[in-house]
Amino acid sequence: MKKVLFKNAIYKALAFFAVFLSMGACLKTGVVPFAVSAVLTALFFSFTPESSFLSMFAGFLVALNVSEGYGVSALMITFALAGLFTLALSAFRSAAEKKVAQSFDAGLSLAVACLMTVMITTYYFGIGASGHTAITMIKSYVSFGFHANWRGVLYGTIVMVVMITFPRKFKKLSKIIPAPFSALLITYVLNFFLIPAHGVQPVELITYSGVRPVWLTDFDLSVIREPYCHVSVIAGALALCVLNKVQAGGKKELAASGAGDIAIGGLTGYSSALKPVSSSAEFAEGVIAALIIAALCVSTRMINRMPLASLAVVLIVKAWQTVEWGKLKVSFTHLQSAAVILIMFIVTALANISAAIICGFVLSFLFSRKPTEKV
């Protein structure tokens, strides 16, 4: 039992370390707040080798949309508001325990994988494009021209190959040491030989500048005066509430998720929609994982001098690995299920991921009452 506990704790710590810092590097808040979020999430929320990163990445893309459009302040308000919405929803027993249709997961996984590729490829190829939606990012790519920094592409491609092959070649080991961490470790060490610390840096690297509380120093409430900011914040909060609802198994879990959004998301600018720990063993795993994450952050100085391209590819590859191909296949055998998936994809492409999550949830909830849709 203790052996399994330590294995799960190590996997949880290394997976969170790799993925959370990858998300932080690609978001305006930076790696320090995400390191704090990783420690707190590991402590209070459950995650195993069988868990999916889907809700985590969906929440990240919601956060990316809000922060790129309106800044860190709007992002923190979004998570705090999402927590309040989730707590309110947990008060209604019937709403808290109602399940959504499988077409929602299928549509969300496809939308997340495609949008993650569009939004994060700029860091993989070192293009310098910017935007807060798929359309604005694609326009930015056209404006900048798709010229890759091939040194960064080398690092990113190494990460891609390792993440794809490592779980296949080392099935048992990958349940303890996750592929994203293994891939980052290889490029992290390689970079010290290819790019000396005091030499010219041909690719963008993560640099440590001290524990700068970006989420506090950049906090500015004047942003909420913008009318479209209100829409973005409310839509983002509702989308995050939906993600909490989908992950939670009942009132208590939903309430805990809401509290997590307020306490963790409101502080750091990001909180994952995961299941809260439900036993002393899971909490013990969380304590060990949190200590490991903290130790890794300190020892590597927040992965100082890690190529940004490597971190970007972790998100892109892992997002595609979360696609629910089986659910997609089954869902396309029913007209209503296929409609949910297509609408979520189209709304993601033309509007944003928050609107897609809300639309998909409402449609799948309505269609779940039909005999042709499985729940």
Side-chain angles (χ1 to χ4, degrees):
M1 187 69 178
K2 290 183 179 180
K3 188 177 180 180
V4 174
L5 186 149
F6 277 104
K7 284 183 177 180
N8 288 343
I10 292 171
Y11 178 88
K12 184 179 185 180
L14 299 185
F16 277 13
F17 179 78
V19 173
F20 271 75
L21 295 187
S22 294
M23 292 190 292
C26 298
L27 200 64
K28 283 184 175 180
T29 53
V31 294
V32 174
F34 269 76
V36 176
S37 181
V39 170
L40 295 175
T41 304
L43 194 60
F44 296 110
F45 290 85
S46 176
F47 197 82
T48 68
E50 290 71 38
S51 299
S52 173
F53 285 89
L54 179 57
S55 65
M56 187 181 295
F57 288 156
F60 165 74
L61 289 173
V62 171
L64 186 66
N65 175 259
V66 175
S67 64
E68 289 292 329
Y70 301 99
V72 176
S73 303
L75 179 59
M76 294 170 64
I77 295 171
T78 299
F79 273 96
L81 191 60
L84 293 176
F85 287 162
T86 304
L87 287 174
L89 183 63
S90 68
F92 299 93
R93 187 180 187 86
S94 58
E97 296 181 353
K98 176 66 179 178
K99 301 296 182 181
V100 297
Q102 67 177 4
S103 57
F104 175 80
D105 284 341
L108 181 62
S109 64
L110 184 61
V112 163
C114 292
L115 184 60
M116 187 74 82
T117 303
V118 171
M119 302 301 293
I120 305 300
T121 295
T122 180
Y123 302 114
Y124 176 21
F125 282 76
I127 297 169
S130 61
H132 67 285
T133 64
I135 291 177
T136 57
M137 183 59 83
I138 291 172
K139 287 181 178 179
S140 185
Y141 285 139
V142 174
S143 176
F144 276 83
F146 211 78
H147 302 288
N149 182 319
W150 293 108
R151 181 71 68 90
V153 172
L154 170 65
Y155 288 128
T157 303
I158 291 173
V159 169
M160 184 182 300
V161 172
V162 173
M163 287 186 64
I164 294 172
T165 59
F166 184 79
R168 298 176 181 177
K169 297 293 184 180
F170 306 97
K171 292 182 179 180
K172 291 184 178 179
L173 183 60
S174 64
K175 299 296 183 181
I176 303 173
I177 303 176
F181 180 83
S182 304
L184 289 182
L185 180 61
I186 291 172
T187 54
Y188 184 64
V189 174
L190 182 63
N191 187 60
F192 279 93
F193 293 98
L194 296 182
I195 304 179
H198 302 292
V200 177
Q201 297 183 359
V203 297
E204 187 173 354
L205 305 177
I206 301 303
T207 56
Y208 178 75
S209 58
V211 184
R212 178 173 178 266
V214 178
W215 62 96
L216 295 180
T217 57
D218 292 353
F219 193 75
D220 181 12
L221 288 177
S222 64
V223 69
I224 64 175
R225 298 173 185 172
E226 300 181 35
Y228 288 108
C229 178
H230 297 161
V231 176
S232 181
V233 167
I234 293 173
L238 287 173
L240 293 171
C241 179
V242 168
L243 295 176
N244 288 333
K245 165 67 187 75
V246 172
Q247 287 294 309
K251 290 183 62 176
K252 291 183 178 180
E253 288 188 356
L254 197 57
S257 296
D261 276 349
I262 295 173
I264 302 175
L267 172 66
T268 68
Y270 177 77
S271 177
S272 296
L274 298 173
K275 290 185 178 180
V277 295
S278 57
S279 66
S280 58
E282 286 187 348
F283 184 72
E285 286 179 10
V287 171
I288 297 170
L291 291 174
I292 294 173
I293 294 170
L296 286 171
C297 288
V298 172
S299 62
T300 63
R301 295 171 65 84
M302 304 296 176
I303 55 176
N304 185 39
R305 301 191 67 248
M306 170 69 76
L308 180 60
S310 298
L311 298 164
V313 173
V314 165
L315 299 181
I316 294 172
V317 174
K318 202 63 190 174
W320 280 104
Q321 290 177 342
T322 63
V323 174
E324 305 275 3
W325 298 110
K327 289 183 179 180
L328 278 170
K329 181 179 179 181
V330 173
S331 295
F332 272 106
T333 60
H334 300 292
L335 180 61
Q336 293 173 339
S337 303
V340 171
I341 296 171
L342 292 175
I343 289 172
M344 290 184 72
F345 183 83
I346 293 171
V347 173
T348 300
L350 299 182
N352 56 57
I353 188 68
S354 297
I357 291 172
I358 295 169
C359 289
F361 177 75
V362 171
L363 289 175
S364 62
F365 179 80
L366 294 174
F367 291 159
S368 66
R369 300 184 177 186
K370 305 292 183 179
T372 56
E373 175 71 321
K374 298 179 181 181
V375 296

